[in-house]
Amino acid sequence: MHTIDFLVFLLFTGGIVIIGSLFWRKKGSSDDFTTAGRSLPGWVVGLSIFSTYVSSISYLAYPGSAYDSNWNAFVFSLSIPIASWVAAKWFVPFYRKQTCVSAYAFLEQRFGRWARWYASICYLLTQVARIGTIMYLLAIPMNVLLGWNISMVIICTSLAIIFYSTLGGLRGVIWTEAIQGVIMIAGAVTCLVILLMSMPGGAEQSLATAWHEGKFSLGSFDFLDLSTSTFWVCLVYGLFTNLQNYGIDQNYVQRYHTARSARSARFSALFGGWLFIPVSAMFFLIGTALYSYYAAFPSMLPEGGTKGDYVFPFFIVNQLPVGFTGLLIASIFAAGMSTVATSITSASTIILHDFYKCARPDSTNREELVVLKLAGIAIGILGIVVSLAMLRVDSILDAWWKLSSVFSGGMLGLFLLGFMSNHVKNIDAAIGVICGVIVIGYISLHDLLGLPTNGIHEYLAIVFGTIVIFLVGFLVAKLHK
């Protein structure tokens, strides 16, 4: 790595840590730590939501997926406008009226504390898996660039993120995410332009090669095939996942509370969601262009080729001009750091409000701040452990989608039961959740447990789990009438 590239990288990443730390307040309150004083402009919150979406999973795994196969995974992004519209119309006004910043306090009001704890535990498991996945992807380019040990990169980077996210609270996280969002977009645009112009025949040759090889395919349109990642499987999976993100994911719900008004909060939901569409398309186009580039220059690849998740970092290291390499690595780090910081602050908020304050409702402000910081540190350390376990995984995107589908536990179904029906009671919801968890477990783990094949793709675990929880709970409630 050239000295200039290293300096550019240090300037951006070091600056993010410093900026995030500047929001530390000696006499801050736990409410200010978790809601940023409810005073942020909508565009900043929207950029924060966008940056939460564009993690290292997007920055590295999307190009890797497009390079290895096609644009099938992009179908997931097409569901976001629907989810963001539903959020702006119904979810944002609903949560803005709630007094508690936790997304799961509502479930306790409707079904009892078990429902709140069930959703909170599912959420925490998801965030630990997410942190682990992203930190692994952050370590890949530094391993390719400098030969640094992946495990050491994971540990050192995680500690830096834990430091500024627990020091500056959500205000610091959101403002740094807004900056990181701009860096991410600039880095991706720069790389795509250089990549397309590096082809002998320019962008036209790159696109023509990819089109001829079917690299722009969105997958099979067989509506009845539920066993493979078809267009419809990805679309439905994306719709349910993004409805869950916008409707009950603490990362997003907590941001609705930080906006200075309900109107700003609604704008942030729409802005963050719609901005992700063109940016995610750009990541897939980068992967497709990489395929065309190395088809034209096969000798530039290492002997034996490289894994899809590594091909983008390999290009950044070996083909970008001096200075741009540092910018792109900084962009990848910005993508990962923003999402990990979000997960740490939101997970610590859940631990405080859904567990600690339930046990100690009369806790002091000083107590709560200590709990928030210690919880953030603990979640970050657990993420490091998961990240080190990711070293044995072949496809990071596939692994993350499966983990998030399993750990979601059909939370959306439980939320919809409480949100859409006043007749469903505690026992009805509990029966629905038990049935939903059984379905999710069977779809996700049947191979591991040696059970008969079910002909349903693992991505659909969240879909069927949500539907079963909602329908069973609703029907059992009808039988009680």
Side-chain angles (χ1 to χ4, degrees):
M1 190 176 183
H2 196 278
T3 303
I4 294 176
D5 291 312
F6 193 68
L7 290 175
V8 170
F9 166 72
L10 285 182
L11 177 66
F12 278 105
T13 54
I16 289 297
V17 174
I18 293 171
I19 291 172
S21 303
L22 291 177
F23 287 91
W24 175 73
R25 294 186 177 185
K26 187 176 181 180
K27 295 184 179 180
S29 66
S30 61
D31 183 67
D32 186 66
F33 189 94
T34 56
T35 65
R38 307 174 194 269
S39 61
L40 299 180
W43 67 269
V44 173
V45 181
L47 271 175
S48 174
I49 290 174
F50 160 76
S51 297
T52 298
Y53 251 112
V54 186
S55 64
S56 304
I57 297 172
S58 305
Y59 224 107
L60 293 179
Y62 281 3
S65 178
Y67 177 85
D68 278 340
S69 54
N70 50 39
W71 280 45
N72 174 241
F74 175 68
V75 179
F76 175 91
S77 303
L78 299 179
S79 65
I80 293 178
I82 301 173
S84 61
W85 178 81
V86 171
K89 187 170 180 62
W90 286 293
F91 296 154
V92 172
F94 172 77
Y95 282 113
R96 291 282 299 189
K97 294 176 183 177
Q98 304 296 307
T99 56
C100 182
V101 70
S102 169
Y104 314 118
F106 163 72
L107 294 177
E108 181 177 3
Q109 298 169 14
R110 284 290 288 111
F111 304 125
R113 186 161 293 179
W114 73 268
R116 183 176 187 174
W117 285 355
Y118 164 75
S120 299
I121 291 170
C122 288
Y123 173 77
L124 292 174
L125 289 173
T126 303
Q127 296 314 299
V128 170
R130 191 182 200 193
I131 292 171
T133 304
I134 291 166
M135 292 313 304
Y136 172 72
L137 286 170
L138 275 183
I140 290 176
M142 300 313 293
N143 174 261
V144 175
L145 274 171
L146 302 173
W148 290 355
N149 182 273
I150 289 182
S151 299
M152 289 305 301
V153 175
I154 289 171
I155 294 170
C156 293
T157 308
S158 298
L159 293 177
I161 298 172
I162 292 170
F163 173 74
Y164 84 79
S165 60
T166 55
L167 198 63
L170 191 58
R171 187 190 301 273
V173 169
I174 288 179
W175 276 104
T176 54
E177 281 181 332
I179 298 170
Q180 288 163 326
V182 175
I183 296 173
M184 286 186 279
I185 294 173
V189 170
T190 300
C191 186
L192 181 60
V193 171
I194 293 175
L195 184 56
L196 292 175
M197 293 301 101
S198 297
M199 293 289 287
E204 184 178 352
Q205 181 188 356
S206 179
L207 298 177
T209 300
W211 182 267
H212 178 71
E213 295 294 328
K215 303 300 287 185
F216 289 103
S217 171
L218 296 177
S220 167
F221 282 84
D222 185 349
F223 191 78
L224 299 178
D225 182 8
L226 302 180
S227 62
T228 58
S229 180
T230 66
F231 175 91
W232 302 111
V233 166
C234 278
L235 183 65
V236 173
Y237 166 76
L239 181 61
F240 275 73
T241 298
N242 287 309
L243 280 174
Q244 179 166 293
N245 287 339
Y246 276 97
I248 198 168
D249 190 310
Q250 182 68 21
N251 288 336
Y252 299 83
V253 173
Q254 198 162 344
R255 275 155 180 70
Y256 303 156
H257 288 281
T258 65
R260 58 173 57 135
S261 66
R263 183 178 180 181
S264 294
R266 287 194 295 270
F267 171 80
S268 69
L270 292 170
F271 177 59
W274 279 93
L275 182 59
F276 183 75
I277 304 298
V279 175
S280 63
M282 182 164 53
F283 288 129
F284 280 96
L285 188 56
I286 287 173
T288 302
L290 284 169
Y291 176 86
S292 299
Y293 180 83
Y294 287 117
F297 304 105
S299 60
M300 291 188 174
L301 281 174
E303 187 176 349
T306 184
K307 291 171 59 177
D309 291 332
Y310 284 76
V311 70
F312 191 21
F314 182 83
F315 175 83
I316 291 171
V317 174
N318 294 284
Q319 272 75 54
L320 285 183
V322 172
F324 289 103
T325 297
L327 173 63
L328 262 295
I329 298 300
S331 299
I332 294 171
F333 264 71
M337 290 171 72
S338 65
T339 307
V340 171
T342 294
S343 293
I344 289 173
T345 53
S346 59
S348 62
T349 300
I350 288 299
I351 291 173
L352 171 66
H353 285 277
D354 291 354
F355 295 98
Y356 189 81
K357 291 189 74 171
C358 285
R360 286 183 55 83
D362 57 345
S363 56
T364 65
N365 179 67
R366 180 182 178 84
E367 239 181 294
E368 292 171 4
L369 283 172
V370 171
V371 170
L372 284 168
K373 295 177 187 299
L374 290 179
I377 293 171
I379 290 295
I381 292 173
L382 287 174
I384 292 174
V385 174
V386 173
S387 186
L388 296 176
M390 286 283 179
L391 293 171
R392 300 182 179 182
V393 173
D394 291 328
S395 173
I396 298 301
L397 182 61
D398 188 55
W400 161 242
W401 279 11
K402 288 180 180 179
L403 284 174
S404 62
S405 187
V406 172
F407 289 152
S408 68
M411 289 189 294
L412 180 61
L414 183 60
F415 173 78
L416 292 176
L417 271 179
F419 187 74
M420 298 177 65
S421 175
N422 293 324
H423 302 296
V424 179
K425 304 303 180 185
N426 188 334
I427 186 64
D428 309 324
I431 294 172
V433 167
I434 292 171
C435 293
V437 169
I438 291 172
V439 170
I440 291 171
Y442 181 66
I443 293 175
S444 305
L445 306 174
H446 70 277
D447 285 338
L448 183 64
L449 299 176
L451 298 173
T453 180
N454 51 46
I456 299 174
H457 198 282
E458 290 91 340
Y459 292 171
L460 295 179
I462 184 176
V463 177
F464 284 97
T466 298
I467 292 173
V468 168
I469 289 174
F470 182 81
L471 289 181
V472 170
F474 186 78
L475 292 175
V476 172
K478 285 290 186 182
L479 293 175
H480 286 175
K481 289 183 67 176

